[in-house]
Amino acid sequence: MDKRPIGVFDSGLGGLTAVRRLQELLPGEDIVYFGDTGRVPYGTRSRDTILRYADEDCRLLLAHDVKFIIAACGTVSSVAQNILANLPVPAIGVVEPTAAEAAAATKNGKIGIIGTAATVRSASFEKALLAINPALQITATPCPMFVPLVENGWISPEDEVATLTVRRYLATIKAAGVDTLILGCTHFPLLAPIIAQELGSGVTLIDSGYETARLCVRLLDETEKLSPNKIGSSRYYVSDQPEGFSQVAEIFLGHSVKQEVEMVHPTAK
Ligand code: DGL
């Protein structure tokens, strides 16, 4: 048993989709979340910049004595595997658990992937999927504009801008006839109602935050690192003003976090 917190990070709010699932699955765990809101988005940046940010984010969480790290960011998970593999505590990203679920879910063998530009460029999800089943047919599309829509809370199926943006980005995926779509960026589950409306009920959406939270639960259980506590607490750190974060975080988490959000600055080596 291990009472230390689980550390979760993302470029901004998206990783909260994983936190929400963790809070549901493991209510006894303490969670430390870092959202790099001062530097979001990561997905449009160069590999070197993403690596530097990922390194600093992990260091920030390690300073909170976390027992496990989740990179709840498709971009970091796709680009910075080496950093995650060389930390003093176990760490996972979203690619492998999400790819495994998608490969199991598809019936027609056609899978779509949407993510940030950096994620799609890295081909991380494709590689993971083809390693499971080389016969899969994959269509991948970057959807960079989804991130600011979500960060600003423009996620209602009644929102014309969000609906048109989703339609435009998903045209190729729709034409490819996929029956399974990987939401390869942790921001995207917030747009799931609009995406489902656009693609129809025949397409299964795979939520990368959820699948990664489930893998974390399994790994902590297998290594006997679950907390013995019954009620855990969560603290949230951001690198820009907490107010904006708290407002939209409520939509992600389904409860208010005003009291628990603090501003910090990730530091370089
Ligand atoms: N949540 C991040 C991801 O999963 C993306 C947002 C960004 O571009 O920073 O890729």
Side-chain angles (χ1 to χ4, degrees):
M1 292 206 173
D2 191 334
K3 286 185 180 173
R4 290 179 300 163
I6 300 170
V8 183
F9 75 94
D10 179 40
S11 56
L13 287 143
L16 295 175
T17 52
V19 171
R20 181 176 189 149
R21 300 304 189 172
L22 274 182
Q23 289 172 341
E24 285 164 9
L25 296 167
L26 296 175
E29 294 291 332
D30 289 340
I31 297 170
V32 176
Y33 182 81
F34 175 59
D36 200 359
T37 52
R39 304 193 292 197
V40 69
Y42 283 9
T44 50
R45 297 186 195 276
S46 70
R47 187 184 147 76
D48 282 354
T49 302
I50 296 165
L51 290 177
R52 178 160 57 82
Y53 288 176
D55 183 55
E56 292 170 10
D57 299 345
C58 290
R59 206 181 300 276
L60 188 143
L61 290 177
L62 289 169
H64 286 273
D65 194 25
V66 295
K67 63 182 167 189
F68 193 96
I69 289 181
I70 299 180
C73 173
T75 307
V76 168
S77 309
S78 297
V79 174
Q81 289 106 333
N82 273 351
I83 290 179
L84 299 178
N86 289 297
L87 294 173
V89 298
I92 56 171
V94 302
V95 175
E96 275 71 27
T98 309
E101 185 61 27
T106 185
K107 302 255 179 327
N108 71 2
K110 294 182 182 171
I111 298 181
I113 301 165
I114 54 174
T116 65
T119 296
V120 170
R121 198 169 53 230
S122 77
S124 58
F125 284 100
E126 264 113 316
K127 287 177 201 155
L129 285 167
L130 294 174
I132 299 168
N133 178 359
L136 291 171
Q137 291 176 44
I138 298 162
T139 310
T141 306
C143 303
M145 301 265 288
F146 284 5
V147 177
L149 285 177
V150 171
E151 291 277 327
N152 287 283
W154 292 22
I155 55 171
S156 154
E158 275 79 56
D159 189 295
E160 283 179 21
V161 176
T163 311
L164 284 175
T165 310
V166 167
R167 178 159 309 149
R168 181 150 171 189
Y169 274 131
L170 294 190
T172 339
I173 298 272
K174 203 171 175 177
V178 307
D179 71 355
T180 305
L181 177 66
I182 289 181
L183 308 180
C185 169
T186 50
H187 280 66
F188 296 180
L190 275 285
L191 291 168
I194 308 182
I195 295 171
Q197 190 173 275
E198 179 60 21
L199 295 181
S201 57
V203 178
T204 306
L205 305 183
I206 310 288
D207 173 340
S208 52
Y210 176 52
E211 298 310 329
T212 311
R214 287 206 311 165
L215 177 61
C216 168
V217 174
R218 207 181 75 217
L219 294 175
L220 287 178
D221 189 26
E222 281 171 9
T223 53
E224 299 182 358
K225 287 270 170 61
L226 289 168
S227 170
N229 295 339
K230 293 271 173 287
I231 301 175
S233 65
S234 299
R235 280 172 296 154
Y236 304 87
Y237 295 94
V238 289
S239 53
D240 202 348
Q241 29 176 348
E243 294 75 25
F245 177 86
S246 305
Q247 270 169 19
V248 186
E250 245 183 273
I251 309 176
F252 275 81
L253 293 168
H255 59 83
S256 162
V257 294
K258 264 195 201 83
Q259 307 306 316
E260 297 90 2
V261 186
E262 217 176 290
M263 187 157 154
V264 287
H265 289 292
T267 45
K269 250 182 245 178

